[in-house]
PDB file of all heavy atoms in Angstrom:
ATOM      1  N   SER A  28      10.059   2.917   4.784  1.00  0.00           N
ATOM      2  CA  SER A  28       8.638   2.959   5.048  1.00  0.00           C
ATOM      3  C   SER A  28       7.809   3.752   4.056  1.00  0.00           C
ATOM      4  O   SER A  28       6.581   3.878   4.230  1.00  0.00           O
ATOM      5  CB  SER A  28       8.395   3.582   6.428  1.00  0.00           C
ATOM      6  OG  SER A  28       9.200   2.949   7.442  1.00  0.00           O
ATOM      7  N   VAL A  29       8.398   4.291   3.021  1.00  0.00           N
ATOM      8  CA  VAL A  29       7.645   5.121   2.040  1.00  0.00           C
ATOM      9  C   VAL A  29       7.637   4.421   0.703  1.00  0.00           C
ATOM     10  O   VAL A  29       8.701   4.022   0.205  1.00  0.00           O
ATOM     11  CB  VAL A  29       8.215   6.562   1.928  1.00  0.00           C
ATOM     12  CG1 VAL A  29       7.430   7.381   0.928  1.00  0.00           C
ATOM     13  CG2 VAL A  29       8.218   7.236   3.315  1.00  0.00           C
ATOM     14  N   TYR A  30       6.481   4.327   0.068  1.00  0.00           N
ATOM     15  CA  TYR A  30       6.337   3.622  -1.157  1.00  0.00           C
ATOM     16  C   TYR A  30       5.652   4.494  -2.199  1.00  0.00           C
ATOM     17  O   TYR A  30       4.865   5.401  -1.848  1.00  0.00           O
ATOM     18  CB  TYR A  30       5.551   2.294  -0.983  1.00  0.00           C
ATOM     19  CG  TYR A  30       6.096   1.420   0.103  1.00  0.00           C
ATOM     20  CD1 TYR A  30       5.588   1.429   1.366  1.00  0.00           C
ATOM     21  CD2 TYR A  30       7.153   0.539  -0.193  1.00  0.00           C
ATOM     22  CE1 TYR A  30       6.124   0.625   2.386  1.00  0.00           C
ATOM     23  CE2 TYR A  30       7.672  -0.277   0.825  1.00  0.00           C
ATOM     24  CZ  TYR A  30       7.172  -0.235   2.079  1.00  0.00           C
ATOM     25  OH  TYR A  30       7.683  -1.046   3.064  1.00  0.00           O
ATOM     26  N   TYR A  31       5.907   4.202  -3.506  1.00  0.00           N
ATOM     27  CA  TYR A  31       5.287   4.938  -4.559  1.00  0.00           C
ATOM     28  C   TYR A  31       4.455   4.041  -5.442  1.00  0.00           C
ATOM     29  O   TYR A  31       4.121   4.381  -6.561  1.00  0.00           O
ATOM     30  CB  TYR A  31       6.349   5.684  -5.364  1.00  0.00           C
ATOM     31  CG  TYR A  31       7.100   6.706  -4.524  1.00  0.00           C
ATOM     32  CD1 TYR A  31       8.208   6.365  -3.833  1.00  0.00           C
ATOM     33  CD2 TYR A  31       6.618   8.017  -4.449  1.00  0.00           C
ATOM     34  CE1 TYR A  31       8.881   7.253  -3.004  1.00  0.00           C
ATOM     35  CE2 TYR A  31       7.257   8.960  -3.639  1.00  0.00           C
ATOM     36  CZ  TYR A  31       8.411   8.580  -2.936  1.00  0.00           C
ATOM     37  OH  TYR A  31       9.019   9.474  -2.115  1.00  0.00           O
ATOM     38  N   ALA A  32       4.152   2.858  -4.897  1.00  0.00           N
ATOM     39  CA  ALA A  32       3.250   1.892  -5.559  1.00  0.00           C
ATOM     40  C   ALA A  32       2.685   0.983  -4.504  1.00  0.00           C
ATOM     41  O   ALA A  32       3.281   0.797  -3.435  1.00  0.00           O
ATOM     42  CB  ALA A  32       4.041   1.090  -6.604  1.00  0.00           C
ATOM     43  N   ALA A  33       1.542   0.410  -4.783  1.00  0.00           N
ATOM     44  CA  ALA A  33       0.896  -0.518  -3.831  1.00  0.00           C
ATOM     45  C   ALA A  33       0.652  -1.817  -4.579  1.00  0.00           C
ATOM     46  O   ALA A  33      -0.410  -2.058  -5.139  1.00  0.00           O
ATOM     47  CB  ALA A  33      -0.387   0.073  -3.267  1.00  0.00           C
ATOM     48  N   THR A  34       1.647  -2.743  -4.514  1.00  0.00           N
ATOM     49  CA  THR A  34       1.534  -4.027  -5.136  1.00  0.00           C
ATOM     50  C   THR A  34       1.342  -5.074  -4.036  1.00  0.00           C
ATOM     51  O   THR A  34       1.347  -4.810  -2.824  1.00  0.00           O
ATOM     52  CB  THR A  34       2.770  -4.353  -5.974  1.00  0.00           C
ATOM     53  OG1 THR A  34       3.899  -4.494  -5.090  1.00  0.00           O
ATOM     54  CG2 THR A  34       3.048  -3.217  -6.961  1.00  0.00           C
ATOM     55  N   GLU A  35       1.262  -6.320  -4.440  1.00  0.00           N
ATOM     56  CA  GLU A  35       1.101  -7.416  -3.484  1.00  0.00           C
ATOM     57  C   GLU A  35       2.263  -7.499  -2.487  1.00  0.00           C
ATOM     58  O   GLU A  35       2.116  -7.792  -1.325  1.00  0.00           O
ATOM     59  CB  GLU A  35       0.993  -8.724  -4.241  1.00  0.00           C
ATOM     60  CG  GLU A  35       0.756  -9.966  -3.337  1.00  0.00           C
ATOM     61  CD  GLU A  35      -0.580  -9.946  -2.627  1.00  0.00           C
ATOM     62  OE1 GLU A  35      -1.528  -9.291  -3.176  1.00  0.00           O
ATOM     63  OE2 GLU A  35      -0.713 -10.469  -1.556  1.00  0.00           O
ATOM     64  N   PHE A  36       3.455  -7.153  -3.004  1.00  0.00           N
ATOM     65  CA  PHE A  36       4.662  -7.160  -2.145  1.00  0.00           C
ATOM     66  C   PHE A  36       4.524  -6.199  -0.987  1.00  0.00           C
ATOM     67  O   PHE A  36       4.730  -6.524   0.171  1.00  0.00           O
ATOM     68  CB  PHE A  36       5.866  -6.821  -2.982  1.00  0.00           C
ATOM     69  CG  PHE A  36       7.165  -6.716  -2.174  1.00  0.00           C
ATOM     70  CD1 PHE A  36       7.765  -7.833  -1.685  1.00  0.00           C
ATOM     71  CD2 PHE A  36       7.705  -5.480  -1.900  1.00  0.00           C
ATOM     72  CE1 PHE A  36       8.945  -7.733  -0.973  1.00  0.00           C
ATOM     73  CE2 PHE A  36       8.852  -5.348  -1.165  1.00  0.00           C
ATOM     74  CZ  PHE A  36       9.475  -6.491  -0.696  1.00  0.00           C
ATOM     75  N   GLU A  37       4.170  -4.937  -1.300  1.00  0.00           N
ATOM     76  CA  GLU A  37       4.015  -3.915  -0.248  1.00  0.00           C
ATOM     77  C   GLU A  37       2.834  -4.293   0.699  1.00  0.00           C
ATOM     78  O   GLU A  37       2.895  -4.068   1.897  1.00  0.00           O
ATOM     79  CB  GLU A  37       3.795  -2.563  -0.830  1.00  0.00           C
ATOM     80  CG  GLU A  37       4.980  -1.940  -1.496  1.00  0.00           C
ATOM     81  CD  GLU A  37       5.174  -2.376  -2.927  1.00  0.00           C
ATOM     82  OE1 GLU A  37       4.230  -2.945  -3.487  1.00  0.00           O
ATOM     83  OE2 GLU A  37       6.286  -2.189  -3.452  1.00  0.00           O
ATOM     84  N   ALA A  38       1.740  -4.830   0.123  1.00  0.00           N
ATOM     85  CA  ALA A  38       0.619  -5.178   0.935  1.00  0.00           C
ATOM     86  C   ALA A  38       0.989  -6.228   1.948  1.00  0.00           C
ATOM     87  O   ALA A  38       0.510  -6.166   3.131  1.00  0.00           O
ATOM     88  CB  ALA A  38      -0.533  -5.684   0.052  1.00  0.00           C
ATOM     89  N   ARG A  39       1.799  -7.178   1.584  1.00  0.00           N
ATOM     90  CA  ARG A  39       2.194  -8.221   2.538  1.00  0.00           C
ATOM     91  C   ARG A  39       3.060  -7.649   3.681  1.00  0.00           C
ATOM     92  O   ARG A  39       2.955  -8.083   4.823  1.00  0.00           O
ATOM     93  CB  ARG A  39       3.001  -9.311   1.808  1.00  0.00           C
ATOM     94  CG  ARG A  39       2.087 -10.184   0.915  1.00  0.00           C
ATOM     95  CD  ARG A  39       2.944 -11.219   0.204  1.00  0.00           C
ATOM     96  NE  ARG A  39       2.112 -12.083  -0.681  1.00  0.00           N
ATOM     97  CZ  ARG A  39       2.565 -12.943  -1.502  1.00  0.00           C
ATOM     98  NH1 ARG A  39       3.908 -13.185  -1.594  1.00  0.00           N
ATOM     99  NH2 ARG A  39       1.771 -13.679  -2.290  1.00  0.00           N
ATOM    100  N   LEU A  40       3.873  -6.675   3.346  1.00  0.00           N
ATOM    101  CA  LEU A  40       4.740  -6.073   4.334  1.00  0.00           C
ATOM    102  C   LEU A  40       3.915  -5.268   5.381  1.00  0.00           C
ATOM    103  O   LEU A  40       4.312  -5.134   6.524  1.00  0.00           O
ATOM    104  CB  LEU A  40       5.748  -5.092   3.670  1.00  0.00           C
ATOM    105  CG  LEU A  40       6.806  -5.709   2.808  1.00  0.00           C
ATOM    106  CD1 LEU A  40       7.653  -4.620   2.206  1.00  0.00           C
ATOM    107  CD2 LEU A  40       7.728  -6.689   3.631  1.00  0.00           C
ATOM    108  N   CYS A  41       2.770  -4.794   4.953  1.00  0.00           N
ATOM    109  CA  CYS A  41       1.966  -3.910   5.791  1.00  0.00           C
ATOM    110  C   CYS A  41       0.736  -4.565   6.379  1.00  0.00           C
ATOM    111  O   CYS A  41      -0.074  -3.863   7.003  1.00  0.00           O
ATOM    112  CB  CYS A  41       1.554  -2.677   4.970  1.00  0.00           C
ATOM    113  SG  CYS A  41       2.894  -1.770   4.244  1.00  0.00           S
ATOM    114  N   GLN A  42       0.566  -5.841   6.192  1.00  0.00           N
ATOM    115  CA  GLN A  42      -0.687  -6.467   6.674  1.00  0.00           C
ATOM    116  C   GLN A  42      -0.803  -6.385   8.171  1.00  0.00           C
ATOM    117  O   GLN A  42       0.185  -6.450   8.890  1.00  0.00           O
ATOM    118  CB  GLN A  42      -0.768  -7.918   6.206  1.00  0.00           C
ATOM    119  CG  GLN A  42       0.343  -8.833   6.680  1.00  0.00           C
ATOM    120  CD  GLN A  42       0.183 -10.215   6.091  1.00  0.00           C
ATOM    121  OE1 GLN A  42      -0.800 -10.515   5.413  1.00  0.00           O
ATOM    122  NE2 GLN A  42       1.202 -11.106   6.324  1.00  0.00           N
ATOM    123  N   ARG A  43      -2.041  -6.131   8.619  1.00  0.00           N
ATOM    124  CA  ARG A  43      -2.392  -5.999  10.045  1.00  0.00           C
ATOM    125  C   ARG A  43      -1.817  -4.763  10.694  1.00  0.00           C
ATOM    126  O   ARG A  43      -1.869  -4.636  11.916  1.00  0.00           O
ATOM    127  CB  ARG A  43      -1.961  -7.294  10.842  1.00  0.00           C
ATOM    128  CG  ARG A  43      -2.716  -8.539  10.406  1.00  0.00           C
ATOM    129  CD  ARG A  43      -2.408  -9.674  11.343  1.00  0.00           C
ATOM    130  NE  ARG A  43      -0.975 -10.085  11.309  1.00  0.00           N
ATOM    131  CZ  ARG A  43      -0.508 -10.905  10.337  1.00  0.00           C
ATOM    132  NH1 ARG A  43      -1.317 -11.469   9.412  1.00  0.00           N
ATOM    133  NH2 ARG A  43       0.756 -11.224  10.392  1.00  0.00           N
ATOM    134  N   ASP A  44      -1.321  -3.826   9.907  1.00  0.00           N
ATOM    135  CA  ASP A  44      -0.818  -2.562  10.445  1.00  0.00           C
ATOM    136  C   ASP A  44      -1.529  -1.396   9.790  1.00  0.00           C
ATOM    137  O   ASP A  44      -1.927  -1.495   8.616  1.00  0.00           O
ATOM    138  CB  ASP A  44       0.699  -2.429  10.174  1.00  0.00           C
ATOM    139  CG  ASP A  44       1.525  -3.435  10.950  1.00  0.00           C
ATOM    140  OD1 ASP A  44       1.149  -3.711  12.115  1.00  0.00           O
ATOM    141  OD2 ASP A  44       2.496  -3.968  10.418  1.00  0.00           O
ATOM    142  N   PRO A  45      -1.693  -0.267  10.468  1.00  0.00           N
ATOM    143  CA  PRO A  45      -2.286   0.890   9.824  1.00  0.00           C
ATOM    144  C   PRO A  45      -1.357   1.510   8.811  1.00  0.00           C
ATOM    145  O   PRO A  45      -0.122   1.566   9.026  1.00  0.00           O
ATOM    146  CB  PRO A  45      -2.550   1.818  11.038  1.00  0.00           C
ATOM    147  CG  PRO A  45      -1.475   1.431  11.997  1.00  0.00           C
ATOM    148  CD  PRO A  45      -1.344  -0.036  11.886  1.00  0.00           C
ATOM    149  N   VAL A  46      -1.896   2.001   7.732  1.00  0.00           N
ATOM    150  CA  VAL A  46      -1.083   2.639   6.672  1.00  0.00           C
ATOM    151  C   VAL A  46      -1.722   3.923   6.245  1.00  0.00           C
ATOM    152  O   VAL A  46      -2.875   4.215   6.528  1.00  0.00           O
ATOM    153  CB  VAL A  46      -0.923   1.670   5.424  1.00  0.00           C
ATOM    154  CG1 VAL A  46      -0.276   0.384   5.864  1.00  0.00           C
ATOM    155  CG2 VAL A  46      -2.289   1.432   4.776  1.00  0.00           C
ATOM    156  N   THR A  47      -0.959   4.750   5.504  1.00  0.00           N
ATOM    157  CA  THR A  47      -1.445   6.042   5.053  1.00  0.00           C
ATOM    158  C   THR A  47      -1.230   6.140   3.508  1.00  0.00           C
ATOM    159  O   THR A  47      -0.149   5.807   3.081  1.00  0.00           O
ATOM    160  CB  THR A  47      -0.733   7.210   5.748  1.00  0.00           C
ATOM    161  OG1 THR A  47      -1.049   7.187   7.141  1.00  0.00           O
ATOM    162  CG2 THR A  47      -1.176   8.533   5.171  1.00  0.00           C
ATOM    163  N   VAL A  48      -2.240   6.561   2.808  1.00  0.00           N
ATOM    164  CA  VAL A  48      -2.125   6.781   1.381  1.00  0.00           C
ATOM    165  C   VAL A  48      -2.345   8.242   1.103  1.00  0.00           C
ATOM    166  O   VAL A  48      -3.328   8.847   1.572  1.00  0.00           O
ATOM    167  CB  VAL A  48      -3.185   5.959   0.588  1.00  0.00           C
ATOM    168  CG1 VAL A  48      -3.104   6.277  -0.916  1.00  0.00           C
ATOM    169  CG2 VAL A  48      -2.984   4.481   0.843  1.00  0.00           C
ATOM    170  N   VAL A  49      -1.416   8.878   0.397  1.00  0.00           N
ATOM    171  CA  VAL A  49      -1.497  10.293   0.082  1.00  0.00           C
ATOM    172  C   VAL A  49      -1.855  10.467  -1.384  1.00  0.00           C
ATOM    173  O   VAL A  49      -1.121  10.023  -2.255  1.00  0.00           O
ATOM    174  CB  VAL A  49      -0.170  11.035   0.406  1.00  0.00           C
ATOM    175  CG1 VAL A  49      -0.346  12.529   0.172  1.00  0.00           C
ATOM    176  CG2 VAL A  49       0.197  10.787   1.873  1.00  0.00           C
ATOM    177  N   GLY A  50      -2.941  11.174  -1.687  1.00  0.00           N
ATOM    178  CA  GLY A  50      -3.349  11.407  -3.082  1.00  0.00           C
ATOM    179  C   GLY A  50      -4.822  11.237  -3.271  1.00  0.00           C
ATOM    180  O   GLY A  50      -5.515  10.480  -2.549  1.00  0.00           O
ATOM    181  N   GLY A  51      -5.342  11.924  -4.274  1.00  0.00           N
ATOM    182  CA  GLY A  51      -6.781  11.909  -4.528  1.00  0.00           C
ATOM    183  C   GLY A  51      -7.168  11.352  -5.889  1.00  0.00           C
ATOM    184  O   GLY A  51      -8.327  11.457  -6.317  1.00  0.00           O
ATOM    185  N   GLY A  52      -6.215  10.792  -6.660  1.00  0.00           N
ATOM    186  CA  GLY A  52      -6.523  10.325  -8.010  1.00  0.00           C
ATOM    187  C   GLY A  52      -6.855   8.814  -7.965  1.00  0.00           C
ATOM    188  O   GLY A  52      -6.956   8.177  -6.929  1.00  0.00           O
ATOM    189  N   ASN A  53      -7.011   8.252  -9.141  1.00  0.00           N
ATOM    190  CA  ASN A  53      -7.358   6.842  -9.271  1.00  0.00           C
ATOM    191  C   ASN A  53      -6.304   5.936  -8.658  1.00  0.00           C
ATOM    192  O   ASN A  53      -6.648   4.939  -8.049  1.00  0.00           O
ATOM    193  CB  ASN A  53      -7.612   6.479 -10.753  1.00  0.00           C
ATOM    194  CG  ASN A  53      -9.028   6.796 -11.192  1.00  0.00           C
ATOM    195  OD1 ASN A  53      -9.794   7.417 -10.433  1.00  0.00           O
ATOM    196  ND2 ASN A  53      -9.341   6.344 -12.388  1.00  0.00           N
ATOM    197  N   SER A  54      -5.039   6.252  -8.849  1.00  0.00           N
ATOM    198  CA  SER A  54      -3.995   5.407  -8.317  1.00  0.00           C
ATOM    199  C   SER A  54      -4.094   5.320  -6.790  1.00  0.00           C
ATOM    200  O   SER A  54      -3.920   4.251  -6.227  1.00  0.00           O
ATOM    201  CB  SER A  54      -2.620   5.948  -8.721  1.00  0.00           C
ATOM    202  OG  SER A  54      -2.428   5.869 -10.143  1.00  0.00           O
ATOM    203  N   ALA A  55      -4.341   6.476  -6.157  1.00  0.00           N
ATOM    204  CA  ALA A  55      -4.520   6.478  -4.696  1.00  0.00           C
ATOM    205  C   ALA A  55      -5.759   5.727  -4.276  1.00  0.00           C
ATOM    206  O   ALA A  55      -5.691   4.970  -3.277  1.00  0.00           O
ATOM    207  CB  ALA A  55      -4.572   7.927  -4.199  1.00  0.00           C
ATOM    208  N   GLY A  56      -6.823   5.904  -5.001  1.00  0.00           N
ATOM    209  CA  GLY A  56      -8.042   5.140  -4.620  1.00  0.00           C
ATOM    210  C   GLY A  56      -7.903   3.621  -4.789  1.00  0.00           C
ATOM    211  O   GLY A  56      -8.327   2.852  -3.928  1.00  0.00           O
ATOM    212  N   GLN A  57      -7.232   3.221  -5.864  1.00  0.00           N
ATOM    213  CA  GLN A  57      -6.970   1.809  -6.062  1.00  0.00           C
ATOM    214  C   GLN A  57      -6.106   1.248  -4.984  1.00  0.00           C
ATOM    215  O   GLN A  57      -6.328   0.143  -4.431  1.00  0.00           O
ATOM    216  CB  GLN A  57      -6.329   1.566  -7.429  1.00  0.00           C
ATOM    217  CG  GLN A  57      -7.292   1.824  -8.661  1.00  0.00           C
ATOM    218  CD  GLN A  57      -6.567   1.950  -9.966  1.00  0.00           C
ATOM    219  OE1 GLN A  57      -5.330   1.944  -9.970  1.00  0.00           O
ATOM    220  NE2 GLN A  57      -7.320   2.011 -11.001  1.00  0.00           N
ATOM    221  N   ALA A  58      -5.057   2.010  -4.622  1.00  0.00           N
ATOM    222  CA  ALA A  58      -4.143   1.572  -3.555  1.00  0.00           C
ATOM    223  C   ALA A  58      -4.894   1.461  -2.226  1.00  0.00           C
ATOM    224  O   ALA A  58      -4.675   0.492  -1.511  1.00  0.00           O
ATOM    225  CB  ALA A  58      -2.979   2.561  -3.466  1.00  0.00           C
ATOM    226  N   ALA A  59      -5.726   2.416  -1.897  1.00  0.00           N
ATOM    227  CA  ALA A  59      -6.427   2.396  -0.630  1.00  0.00           C
ATOM    228  C   ALA A  59      -7.352   1.164  -0.531  1.00  0.00           C
ATOM    229  O   ALA A  59      -7.352   0.472   0.477  1.00  0.00           O
ATOM    230  CB  ALA A  59      -7.279   3.645  -0.485  1.00  0.00           C
ATOM    231  N   CYS A  60      -8.085   0.878  -1.620  1.00  0.00           N
ATOM    232  CA  CYS A  60      -8.961  -0.260  -1.625  1.00  0.00           C
ATOM    233  C   CYS A  60      -8.163  -1.583  -1.517  1.00  0.00           C
ATOM    234  O   CYS A  60      -8.591  -2.501  -0.800  1.00  0.00           O
ATOM    235  CB  CYS A  60      -9.838  -0.277  -2.856  1.00  0.00           C
ATOM    236  SG  CYS A  60     -11.086   1.028  -2.904  1.00  0.00           S
ATOM    237  N   PHE A  61      -7.067  -1.636  -2.209  1.00  0.00           N
ATOM    238  CA  PHE A  61      -6.237  -2.832  -2.200  1.00  0.00           C
ATOM    239  C   PHE A  61      -5.684  -3.073  -0.838  1.00  0.00           C
ATOM    240  O   PHE A  61      -5.689  -4.216  -0.308  1.00  0.00           O
ATOM    241  CB  PHE A  61      -5.125  -2.724  -3.259  1.00  0.00           C
ATOM    242  CG  PHE A  61      -4.226  -3.904  -3.351  1.00  0.00           C
ATOM    243  CD1 PHE A  61      -4.709  -5.138  -3.775  1.00  0.00           C
ATOM    244  CD2 PHE A  61      -2.935  -3.783  -2.996  1.00  0.00           C
ATOM    245  CE1 PHE A  61      -3.852  -6.236  -3.840  1.00  0.00           C
ATOM    246  CE2 PHE A  61      -2.032  -4.840  -3.052  1.00  0.00           C
ATOM    247  CZ  PHE A  61      -2.554  -6.079  -3.477  1.00  0.00           C
TER     248      PHE A  61
END
């Protein structure tokens, strides 16, 4: 359940479920929006 990247693969696994992103840099912001 823990990932260090947010790609299309992870997004499909998590669709329609709540998720948590930890971090305040650009990578975290891009992942949250995606």
Side-chain angles (χ1 to χ4, degrees):
S28 309
V29 180
Y30 306 96
Y31 296 89
T34 67
E35 183 66 28
F36 175 75
E37 289 83 15
R39 289 177 180 175
L40 292 177
C41 303
Q42 61 183 353
R43 295 188 295 276
D44 293 322
V46 301
T47 296
V48 177
V49 183
N53 275 9
S54 295
Q57 290 167 352
C60 290
F61 179 67

